[in-house]
């Protein structure tokens, strides 16, 4: 998987730099299937940074888009 120039620009616009994506113990990005709800989501360092950034932009609350009400 490769981050495109357009993807880099989008990340910069929301405050995530390429330096933030330095690999460590976690993979930078990987696809994940939630076992309990069988929903796909983004995992790894990038997924974590996106969640933290979106939370920060929403004044410390997790936006409703991250949750789904079950009928």
């Amino acid at each position: 998987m490769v981050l495109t120039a357009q993807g880099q620009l989008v990340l910069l616009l929301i405050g995530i730099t390429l330096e933030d994506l330095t690999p460590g113990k976690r993979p930078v990005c990987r696809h994940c299937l939630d076992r309990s709800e069988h929903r796909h989501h983004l995992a790894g360092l990038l997924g974590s940074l996106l969640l933290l950034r979106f939370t920060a932009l929403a004044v410390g609350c997790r936006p409703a888009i991250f949750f789904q009400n079950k009928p």
Side-chain angles (χ1 to χ4, degrees), residues 57-68:
L57 292 172
V59 193
C61 65
R62 293 177 75 165
I65 193 169
F66 291 111
F67 301 97
Q68 177 181 7

Side-chain angles (χ1 to χ4, degrees), residues 32-49:
C32 187
L33 176 63
D34 183 290
R35 291 181 187 209
S36 61
E37 296 188 25
H38 301 288
R39 295 179 57 105
H40 297 277
H41 63 274
L42 186 63
L45 181 59
L46 179 57
S48 177
L49 289 172

Side-chain angles (χ1 to χ4, degrees), residues 1 21 26-31 42-47:
M1 192 179 309
L21 297 175
R26 302 174 75 176
V28 172
C29 181
R30 71 179 180 91
H31 172 266
L42 186 63
L45 181 59
L46 179 57

Side-chain angles (χ1 to χ4, degrees), residues 5-19 53:
Q6 184 178 9
Q8 291 177 23
L9 179 60
V10 170
L11 291 177
L12 285 172
L13 289 173
I14 62 171
I16 298 174
T17 67
L18 292 180
E19 290 78 30
R53 188 65 185 141

